[in-house]
Amino acid sequence: MTTQNQQLGGLYVQSPQGQQLIFPLKHTKVTAKIAGNLSRVEVIQTFENIFTQPLEAIYVFPLPDEAAVDDMEIKIGVNIIKGNIKKREEAQKIYEQAKQVGRTAGLLEQERDNIFTQSLANIKPGEQIDVTIRYTDSLKFEAGNYEFVFPMVVGPRYIPGTLIDNSGDTDRVPDASRITPPVVPEGTRSRHEINVTVEIDAGMPISEVGSPSHQLKIECLGQIVRVQLAGEDTIPNKDLILRYQVSSQTTQSTVLTQADDRGGHFAIYLIPALEYRTDEIVPKDVVFLVDTSGSQSGSPLQQCQELMRRFINGLNPDDTFTILDFSYDVRQLSPTPLPNTPQNRAKAIAYINNLQAAGGTEMLSGIRAAINVPTPIERLRTVVLLTDGYIGNENEILAEVQKHLQPGNRLYSFGAGSSVNRFLLNRIAEIGRGKSTIIRHDEPTQAVAEKFYRQINNPVLTNIQISWQGGGESPVVYPGTAPDLFVEQPLVLFGRKQDRASGNLQISGIAAGGKHYEKTFHLIFEETGNSAVAQLWGRSRIKDLMNQMVSFETKAGVEAVTETALTYQLLSQYTAFVAVSDDVRVESGNEYLSMQVPVEMPEAVSYGVFGGSVMHQMTPLMPPAPASAPPDFLRQRPRGDRAASQREAADGQTSSKTKKFALPPSTVKEVGEISAAPIQHQLEVISATGLDESAIAELTQHLQKLNLPSGFSGEIVFEFTINKGRVARVMLDEEASTLKDTVVVEMIKRALLIWRVPPSASGKVVLSLRIH
């Protein structure tokens, strides 16, 4: 223990940039190659053990939310160990076993579409290990304007719900501890630097290469443009946004194909050459919903206010509108939509100017309130959400929009900040049949507002249909239901034709004024095609399947995602990459250090608004901890307790955040909470395979306290696992269940997650319930 504390005292170093903290993640190198619409990206994370004991490093980091991650390896000296894709539980077991016997091991897991965890066990003292991750992604583009984004930091997340244990996990966000990494103390920074090189080969000249986020070094090598971060911009605390233009009409459509033993795959990028119609102005009703929680404090809220002022002043004379804002609770300008008069606009601007950021992000309440604002007769409703998306219960929000946004209504999302939650903002707009727009907190807003009004409720192509003309079976195409297209917006489709037979794919729709639109692509599948296309189809299928499970996970859905991920060698929430050294490199049985790597606070996000919760893990280092109290993110522990290391690494940060953001007692209780008073038993446990009689009795007593809504009856079958005294991954068996109501299923699922599991229980459980 003495050696450990001597090392802790040396964690601080002075540098020209000020006081720095020394942590195991030393450097990240990103190399991206862009060809046409696709990017192939390699990320190398360099970890170094500066301590005198073996080290386990755990690092939570972001990647693009639609990236197809298909490769991982670790490099020890000159030896490269390839990672293998496995079912997640199997990969975790392999990693734990390797760690216990002293083998060096790497484990790459996905927590959200845009949040990942890299664990690296048994790094020897003084040793450096490189972890390489590779992925393919599609570029965002509109009519020749391309955008490449590389996210660099996971921002703090608001975690609602009832605490399960001291890890900070809750019944509404049961993996909270895995998506809320510790943050370096205010006024200091880690030594972690990032270097990014992007090579653009568009096949034609490009222009106006630039970035609103970073200083760049740009050089031209023939038709290839190489872009690098300038030396003064290497702190990983904001998303890299790289934009450029391609001046050519050939960008109107791109078709990529590929074939292998899994079938023929294709990607189509289409921008219909359609005119935007401005002669018909449809009266609309707009509900502006703005996030005024603490994380929006400062520049992000100011940017949202500026956008909203422009939105209000851009409304047409016959439009109606109202404004809602949310943090702990929801406030509103008016309970009903207001006519667009000078008086009402002035009232709205005053409301916007008085907005202040504080408190937790109860977005679910805000979304419900916005969707339920009465819609005036004969008007198109549009909900405009402005937020940084710093929440952990994304699926709750997506499920609410999926279930309750009325047909014909649309939801647009706007994210303002340096490192917003793009997964939430992109997905909520897709499900809401609108568009997502993400700008930095310091970007000009005028062009964004003007573009919004060119698009809002005026799609250029609707009722898009996709049909196959040719031999064999029809291809499986994603997205399953094509979205309406707005001005200059591309239609992006990924398809697989298992028999690889060639033919024509026809895309048709209704253009402005009711005109019929049609475009046909002739598809020939050759094995010399672009290998990335298959990976992107697999990623699109996984995304579609996950969108079907935003309310709750199903056994069939989880199996389908897992099968697709294994077939296409892709990371997912149910698969993981694991790499293990052949030789035993650390003596087993000895103590080791485990550290969750702290991350930078995102640029322009204030420390003060979190009330110290993100600082909790760091405070023992200010000043250095006494010998009896190592900091929470650094533990000396017996070999083999990774789960404990992650729980303890998160202990304090997430749990204190949850307590700080807890709603007042009068507003906390929701339908489905465990009731303290005995009520009429509405629920019967038919069987619980995997539990003994004592555990079944305890579970029955726990579930019978649920206050279920009336009017439901039938049988529900759940499958879940019990590990280290906790219920994990609750799945509904839809085939075996006769009752599948979302409200009832979600209530029982949350009750299972907070069940105090008896010590005798472990392993897989199949639970059959009858609701009277």
Side-chain angles (χ1 to χ4, degrees):
M1 293 299 289
T2 303
T3 303
Q4 180 196 37
N5 286 305
Q6 287 174 349
Q7 293 293 331
L8 282 173
L11 279 175
Y12 283 108
V13 296
Q14 288 298 130
S15 73
Q17 291 77 36
Q19 197 175 49
Q20 287 188 310
L21 288 164
I22 299 299
F23 290 115
L25 180 59
K26 183 179 178 181
H27 188 262
T28 297
K29 178 183 178 183
V30 180
T31 305
K33 294 183 182 296
I34 296 174
N37 304 95
L38 301 181
S39 62
R40 182 64 177 172
V41 184
E42 179 181 87
V43 181
I44 302 176
Q45 299 165 346
T46 299
F47 294 86
E48 183 179 41
N49 184 359
I50 59 171
F51 305 106
T52 58
Q53 291 176 273
L55 175 69
E56 176 185 42
I58 302 167
Y59 176 45
V60 178
F61 64 99
L63 289 175
D65 60 282
E66 295 197 2
V69 181
D70 58 11
D71 195 18
M72 180 271 251
E73 64 190 27
I74 60 177
K75 181 180 180 183
I76 309 170
V78 296
N79 297 321
I80 295 176
I81 305 165
K82 294 287 291 183
N84 295 312
I85 192 81
K86 303 282 186 183
K87 290 182 179 180
R88 188 167 181 174
E89 292 78 7
E90 182 183 354
Q92 290 171 340
K93 185 176 180 180
I94 292 171
Y95 175 86
E96 290 295 334
Q97 289 175 341
K99 184 171 69 174
Q100 290 175 21
V101 300
R103 300 182 192 274
T104 297
L107 177 67
L108 178 63
E109 301 170 90
Q110 177 183 312
E111 316 299 345
R112 297 285 186 277
D113 284 24
N114 61 338
I115 301 179
F116 301 80
T117 300
Q118 177 66 63
S119 302
L120 199 58
N122 290 325
I123 310 173
K124 295 167 69 173
E127 184 174 59
Q128 179 173 296
I129 294 180
D130 291 339
V131 178
T132 300
I133 301 163
R134 299 182 180 93
Y135 68 84
T136 299
D137 199 9
S138 276
L139 267 65
K140 182 179 179 180
F141 71 104
E142 292 186 6
N145 298 299
Y146 284 74
E147 182 176 271
F148 169 83
V149 174
F150 184 80
M152 295 189 183
V153 64
V154 174
R157 296 296 197 262
Y158 170 71
I159 307 297
T162 302
L163 285 169
I164 295 174
D165 54 25
N166 64 0
S167 69
D169 296 344
T170 73
D171 60 337
R172 291 171 64 183
V173 192
D175 62 347
S177 59
R178 297 186 64 89
I179 62 170
T180 49
V183 179
V184 297
E186 186 172 11
T188 64
R189 62 161 308 232
S190 69
R191 63 173 178 166
H192 181 202
E193 303 281 348
I194 190 164
N195 173 266
V196 182
T197 301
V198 181
E199 290 190 356
I200 306 169
D201 184 359
M204 61 192 74
I206 68 173
S207 60
E208 298 190 34
V209 182
S211 170
S213 62
H214 287 75
Q215 299 296 314
L216 304 176
K217 293 188 295 184
I218 303 170
E219 59 179 323
C220 296
L221 307 169
Q223 70 174 15
I224 295 176
V225 176
R226 178 178 293 162
V227 181
Q228 293 179 297
L229 296 187
E232 66 273 14
D233 221 347
T234 60
I235 301 174
N237 65 345
K238 54 188 174 182
D239 293 352
L240 167 63
I241 303 170
L242 174 63
R243 295 171 181 158
Y244 60 93
Q245 291 187 354
V246 175
S247 301
S248 172
Q249 292 302 309
T250 59
T251 61
Q252 293 300 312
S253 63
T254 302
V255 181
L256 303 171
T257 60
Q258 179 266 352
D260 56 28
D261 55 5
R262 298 168 297 190
H265 302 85
F266 62 86
I268 292 177
Y269 302 84
L270 167 66
I271 300 180
L274 298 171
E275 293 297 322
Y276 170 63
R277 183 170 180 176
T278 58
D279 59 346
E280 182 182 356
I281 298 176
V282 179
K284 56 186 174 294
D285 176 68
V286 186
V287 175
F288 298 100
L289 177 63
V290 60
D291 178 355
T292 53
S293 64
S295 63
Q296 289 274 99
S297 180
S299 297
L301 179 58
Q302 292 168 14
Q303 185 78 319
C304 289
Q305 288 171 307
E306 177 62 24
L307 269 173
M308 288 182 64
R309 284 190 286 266
R310 293 190 182 277
F311 289 157
I312 294 296
N313 288 323
L315 291 166
N316 292 321
D318 292 333
D319 293 342
T320 55
F321 69 93
T322 190
I323 300 172
L324 288 75
D325 72 283
F326 67 92
S327 53
Y328 282 137
D329 52 15
V330 183
R331 295 156 295 275
Q332 58 190 5
L333 170 66
S334 169
T336 57
L338 300 172
N340 183 21
T341 65
Q343 295 82 1
N344 286 334
R345 285 198 302 274
K347 183 179 177 181
I349 297 299
Y351 185 91
I352 293 167
N353 293 342
N354 287 328
L355 292 176
Q356 295 183 342
T361 316
E362 283 294 331
M363 186 179 293
L364 187 60
S365 300
I367 289 289
R368 285 173 175 165
I371 289 175
N372 290 326
V373 171
T375 307
I377 298 173
E378 296 182 352
R379 290 182 185 275
L380 295 172
R381 158 64 54 76
T382 293
V383 177
V384 178
L385 171 67
L386 300 97
T387 180
D388 54 23
Y390 284 163
I391 59 171
N393 59 320
E394 292 101 329
N395 274 0
E396 280 189 340
I397 309 302
L398 301 179
E400 189 70 21
V401 174
Q402 197 175 68
K403 287 184 290 186
H404 298 299
L405 189 69
Q406 295 299 311
N409 294 351
R410 289 195 174 85
L411 191 154
Y412 285 74
S413 63
F414 287 82
S418 64
S419 189
V420 301
N421 185 354
R422 290 171 181 265
F423 161 59
L424 174 66
L425 290 158
N426 290 337
R427 212 63 91 243
I428 198 172
E430 287 176 21
I431 292 175
R433 301 181 294 276
K435 282 197 65 180
S436 100
T437 301
I438 296 169
I439 63 172
R440 281 181 52 83
H441 55 281
D442 50 8
E443 278 192 85
T445 60
Q446 182 174 351
V448 174
E450 290 175 352
K451 187 173 185 180
F452 169 66
Y453 277 113
R454 289 200 306 271
Q455 297 175 338
I456 185 170
N457 288 321
N458 285 287
V460 296
L461 191 63
T462 62
N463 193 29
I464 297 173
Q465 303 294 319
I466 300 166
S467 59
W468 177 255
Q469 299 170 342
E473 62 191 13
S474 295
V476 178
V477 180
Y478 295 106
T481 302
D484 291 346
L485 294 190
F486 300 90
V487 59
E488 298 182 339
Q489 177 191 358
L491 175 65
V492 181
L493 301 173
F494 298 103
R496 181 183 77 168
K497 198 166 187 302
Q498 199 155 9
D499 60 13
R500 298 189 286 184
S502 60
N504 294 326
L505 190 80
Q506 186 178 83
I507 300 170
S508 62
I510 306 299
K515 295 180 181 179
H516 181 74
Y517 172 87
E518 191 172 285
K519 178 81 172 180
T520 301
F521 295 92
H522 184 61
L523 300 180
I524 300 175
F525 302 102
E526 298 179 352
E527 294 189 7
T528 56
N530 192 317
S531 61
V533 176
Q535 305 304 92
L536 290 172
W537 181 86
R539 182 68 189 83
S540 297
R541 172 168 167 77
I542 290 171
K543 173 182 166 182
D544 185 82
L545 291 166
M546 295 301 293
N547 281 348
Q548 297 174 35
M549 295 193 291
V550 291
S551 294
F552 50 79
E553 291 169 301
T554 63
K555 182 180 178 182
V558 170
E559 290 174 351
V561 171
T562 304
E563 179 187 9
T564 302
L566 292 175
T567 300
Y568 287 85
Q569 299 287 290
L570 294 174
L571 198 61
S572 72
Q573 286 189 242
Y574 313 122
T575 53
F577 279 100
V578 62
V580 179
S581 67
D582 292 331
D583 55 328
V584 174
R585 308 183 67 253
V586 171
E587 187 176 348
S588 62
N590 289 347
E591 289 186 328
Y592 69 105
L593 300 174
S594 184
M595 175 182 287
Q596 187 168 6
V597 178
V599 301
E600 304 285 343
M601 181 68 85
E603 183 184 73
V605 176
S606 171
Y607 275 83
V609 301
F610 295 98
S613 62
V614 297
M615 300 272 291
H616 182 88
Q617 297 176 34
M618 300 297 117
T619 50
L621 284 179
M622 302 169 58
S628 59
D632 287 342
F633 58 78
L634 179 63
R635 297 289 191 189
Q636 189 171 30
R637 52 181 103 257
R639 185 166 304 283
D641 189 10
R642 177 172 181 269
S645 79
Q646 291 193 330
R647 286 197 301 272
E648 291 175 17
D651 186 18
Q653 177 199 351
T654 314
S655 59
S656 64
K657 180 188 292 186
T658 307
K659 292 171 187 172
K660 176 175 177 54
F661 288 148
L663 293 171
S666 61
T667 63
V668 165
K669 191 166 176 102
E670 297 183 16
V671 175
E673 276 199 359
I674 299 293
S675 173
I679 60 172
Q680 180 181 359
H681 291 170
Q682 304 165 283
L683 184 151
E684 174 189 354
V685 176
I686 302 173
S687 63
T689 307
L691 297 178
D692 59 27
E693 289 187 9
S694 173
I696 292 174
E698 289 188 36
L699 178 58
T700 301
Q701 186 178 21
H702 173 75
L703 291 177
Q704 286 181 344
K705 295 176 183 177
L706 266 175
N707 186 15
L708 296 170
S710 60
F712 294 99
S713 63
E715 293 187 4
I716 304 180
V717 179
F718 290 101
E719 192 172 294
F720 57 87
T721 56
I722 296 175
N723 186 29
K724 298 186 183 298
R726 272 184 53 172
V727 172
R729 181 131 288 148
V730 180
M731 299 179 294
L732 176 72
D733 188 336
E734 285 191 301
E735 291 188 7
S737 301
T738 60
L739 175 58
K740 306 169 190 178
D741 179 78
T742 301
V743 174
V744 175
V745 171
E746 180 65 19
M747 287 163 50
I748 298 173
K749 172 189 168 183
R750 286 171 59 178
L752 289 170
L753 289 169
I754 62 173
W755 177 41
R756 301 300 181 188
V757 180
S760 61
S762 64
K764 178 181 171 181
V765 176
V766 178
L767 174 65
S768 298
L769 305 172
R770 181 177 290 120
I771 310 299
H772 300 290

